[in-house]
Amino acid sequence: MKFTDYQLQPFLQQALEKLSFSTPTKIQEKIIPLLLKGESVIGQSQTGSGKSHSFLLPLIHKIDPDKQELQLVITVPSRELAEQLVRVTSQLIEEAPTPILLEKCVGGTDKLRQVQKLQQTAPHIVIGTPGRIFDLMRENALLIQTATMMVVDEADMTFDLGFLETVDEIASRMPKDLQMSVFSATIPDKIKPFLKKYLGNPKIIHVENKQLVSPTITNQLLVTKTKNPLEVLFELITLGHPYLMLIFVNTKQKADEVTAFLREKSLKVATIHGDIPARERRRVMKQIQQMEYQYVVATDLAARGIDIEGVSHVINLEIPSELEFFIHRVGRTGRNGLAGQAITFYTPNQEQAIQTLEAKGISFETMELKNGELVESYDRSRREKRKNTQTSDLDPRLKGMIKKAKKHVKPGYKKKLTHEIKQKQRIERKKQNRQSARKKNSK
């Protein structure tokens, strides 16, 4: 299957050639034909699967630029996601013979000026946050009722941030024959009533990534034990020369704390989290793209909401509570076939969280910092292996003796029994070593 098989408008084919895109990804292969046919769709896929192009290409193809009216509305839960999507859309419509008008509607910008602009000229496509789109509707600047296509991107994040009711308000003012598409990494039960209300009998496309973490990423656990994580972080990030390093934490407070610590160490560090004003975030993002910063401390807003090119290293200073965020964080590096390094700080009391990630198919190398170097550490499962060796390979009589020794018996007898058990264990080990040696010699 090639993009040329979809018979998209020539300007879209030109844009794809310019981007060196020839073969669709799995989700694109499944979604594009459905949207071209006018179907409503629910799409589930992980970050980096090509989801944005799967809906932008067919829906832009259907836009009639000769109609001076709004035809496509795309909602996203954050300004950064809106800016990212606007950037991708702009690339696709650049060569359109009749200009396709695109409007970004997000908070933190001059609303009055935008109202005046929209009252003069209606865009064909609107991409923005639910709050600003709804505000412009109430000002009668955005005539939403002409739009026949709508996309709710990152629906689970939209719900988590409390924006789903506003999306509902927007959708309820659109035509009954609206073609709606909803994209989400997960489909929580709480958004299902919304889906049922607007999508009827949608086509559900769920694309599982066989590899949750790109094979080009070196995925490591850094054992910190009792060391101060911030001191370990400073030692780690000053070992080499990362091209661009993202340092992830779970809260805004922690992001500020880490940033302050690193700045005290004379490092130039950028910070991205939800409490930083929109204008400031845009300025910082621009500086990051211009390589004015080598280190960026961020919350999960950046994991899902920001596409920063050239990330060579990702540091999880704290393990996220949700597996999905771990994948989004690590997925910021190792993109487009380039090598990347992801390091997750770890103490033995976080073993359960790591085992949950491993159960999903994510594998780690266990490392530690020693004498200014990142070296392989101990086998995390060694205790379990030792325990299994001590019990599962013992003969039944020895197992019975160990069980008996655990019971309340006379001290003298227990001492004698313990001595006998140790002797038996020595004999068992010698026997196992001899068997292993014979197997090696017979090969």
Side-chain angles (χ1 to χ4, degrees), residues 148-342:
T148 55
M149 300 174 287
M150 182 176 187
V151 177
V152 181
D153 197 14
E154 304 288 0
D156 52 354
M157 192 175 173
T158 298
F159 172 77
D160 289 340
L161 295 171
F163 298 145
L164 200 61
E165 281 184 23
T166 311
V167 174
D168 190 2
E169 290 280 358
I170 296 166
S172 67
R173 288 159 171 79
M174 297 172 87
K176 285 186 179 178
D177 59 349
L178 176 68
Q179 180 186 8
M180 183 182 278
S181 308
V182 174
F183 291 86
S184 191
T186 59
I187 305 289
D189 287 339
K190 289 181 179 177
I191 70 170
K192 287 180 180 174
F194 172 85
L195 300 178
K196 191 175 179 182
K197 180 177 177 181
Y198 290 105
L199 281 87
N201 295 309
K203 302 291 183 188
I204 300 172
I205 304 299
H206 189 188
V207 176
E208 287 268 7
N209 281 14
K210 285 185 180 177
Q211 288 181 309
L212 294 177
V213 173
S214 167
T216 63
I217 296 171
T218 304
N219 194 36
Q220 298 171 323
L221 282 180
L222 179 60
V223 181
T224 56
K225 296 177 183 175
T226 56
K227 296 176 185 174
N228 180 339
L230 291 179
E231 293 292 350
V232 175
L233 175 67
F234 177 69
E235 186 182 351
L236 175 68
I237 68 179
T238 51
L239 282 181
H241 298 282
Y243 184 74
L244 179 59
M245 179 181 282
L246 282 182
I247 301 161
F248 282 108
V249 292
N250 293 344
T251 65
K252 302 164 193 170
Q253 293 79 11
K254 188 70 177 178
D256 289 337
E257 179 194 333
V258 174
T259 302
F261 174 83
L262 294 177
R263 283 176 180 168
E264 281 175 14
K265 299 280 188 180
S266 302
L267 292 177
K268 191 176 180 185
V269 183
T271 316
I272 303 171
H273 60 64
D275 278 357
I276 293 173
R279 188 172 291 178
E280 173 69 8
R281 281 217 304 263
R282 281 198 301 276
R283 186 183 65 78
V284 169
M285 283 299 300
K286 192 174 179 182
Q287 287 178 310
I288 292 167
Q289 299 291 6
Q290 291 170 348
M291 291 308 300
E292 290 182 34
Y293 289 101
Q294 200 173 3
Y295 309 101
V296 181
V297 179
T299 58
D300 287 306
L301 171 72
R304 286 190 63 174
I306 297 170
D307 193 8
I308 299 173
E309 291 181 12
V311 177
S312 59
H313 292 71
V314 166
I315 307 290
N316 290 312
L317 191 61
E318 298 176 306
I319 298 172
S321 55
E322 292 179 39
L323 167 69
E324 206 61 47
F325 281 121
F326 181 88
I327 296 164
H328 283 297
R329 287 179 180 187
V330 172
R332 295 302 96 194
T333 188
R335 296 168 84 84
N336 302 319
L338 297 173
Q341 187 172 11

Side-chain angles (χ1 to χ4, degrees), residues 129-145:
T129 50
R132 175 50 71 94
I133 290 174
F134 190 57
D135 279 351
L136 294 169
M137 284 167 54
R138 285 189 299 191
E139 296 278 352
N140 290 320
L142 210 53
L143 303 179
I144 209 89
Q145 62 271 21

